[in-house]
Amino acid sequence: MNMSMPIRVSAVKEASVPVFYDNFGYLQAEYSVDVRSQVTGEISTVNFKEGQFVKEGDILFTIDNRLYLSALKQSEATLAQDIANKNYAQFMVDKNKSLSNVGAMSIQDYAKLISNLATTNATILADEASIKTNQINLNYCTITAPISGITGIR
């Protein structure tokens, strides 16, 4: 039983040789984020494909914003109406101040006019807050990438 193996000779040449390591394990990204919507609604556009590189600030999704736009317009209309009410209340206070000073109008009736003016001022503040909330919700309809990277599983 002859166990000899043939020997071959070749010329030496320089080349890059890839190195592979077979190991068990998994890869985990250094940075990872879950993108979640702040508002509810139907997704109207998806602006990326899985595995695509995106930059921070790129638009990933848009949500149907018609409901939020309508709510904003309604808040703006309510504000306009309440400003008109405030202007009327201010007019009534100014008009009746001299009558109250000379006793031609009861103090109670004049106090009611001043209270009405204060109420309309507070209502305007609430309307402005409602407009800001609706603007924020409208802005949430555009979902952008919080970091640059490769998109993963949707």
Side-chain angles (χ1 to χ4, degrees), residues 89 93 107-121:
V93 166
I107 294 173
Q108 182 179 1
D109 287 343
Y110 188 68
K112 189 185 248 185
L113 293 175
I114 291 173
S115 174
N116 187 30
L117 178 60
T119 300
T120 56
N121 284 329

Side-chain angles (χ1 to χ4, degrees), residues 10 20 26 31 35 58 66 75-77 97 132 154:
S10 68
F20 295 98
Y26 64 94
Y31 299 104
V35 177
D58 283 354
R66 292 176 294 179
S75 294
E76 290 169 343
K97 183 175 186 175
K132 285 181 184 177
R154 285 193 284 162

Side-chain angles (χ1 to χ4, degrees), residues 3 11 32 35 48 50 57-58 64 74 78 92 109 134 137 142:
M3 298 294 273
S32 175
V35 177
F48 70 94
E50 289 185 35
D58 283 354
D64 183 7
Q74 184 177 6
T78 301
M92 293 302 290
D109 287 343
N134 287 320
N137 286 337
T142 302

Side-chain angles (χ1 to χ4, degrees), residues 38-39 68 72 129-141:
Q38 298 290 322
V39 293
Y68 300 102
L72 176 60
S130 176
I131 287 172
K132 285 181 184 177
T133 299
N134 287 320
Q135 285 171 334
I136 290 169
N137 286 337
L138 189 60
N139 290 339
Y140 282 153
C141 289

Side-chain angles (χ1 to χ4, degrees), residues 24-85:
F24 294 103
Y26 64 94
L27 294 175
Q28 183 174 352
E30 184 177 357
Y31 299 104
S32 175
V33 294
D34 289 332
V35 177
R36 298 183 192 274
S37 171
Q38 298 290 322
V39 293
T40 59
E42 183 178 337
I43 294 175
S44 54
T45 60
V46 177
N47 299 314
F48 70 94
K49 292 185 172 52
E50 289 185 35
Q52 175 183 336
F53 182 82
V54 295
K55 292 181 287 186
E56 181 178 346
D58 283 354
I59 296 174
L60 301 177
F61 302 97
T62 54
I63 296 173
D64 183 7
N65 67 0
R66 292 176 294 179
L67 178 66
Y68 300 102
L69 187 57
S70 177
L72 176 60
K73 298 268 188 221
Q74 184 177 6
S75 294
E76 290 169 343
T78 301
L79 174 63
Q81 181 180 10
D82 289 337
I83 287 173
N85 289 339

Side-chain angles (χ1 to χ4, degrees), residues 13-28:
K13 67 178 182 180
E14 191 173 322
S16 295
V17 179
V19 178
F20 295 98
Y21 295 103
D22 290 330
N23 289 313
F24 294 103
Y26 64 94
L27 294 175
Q28 183 174 352

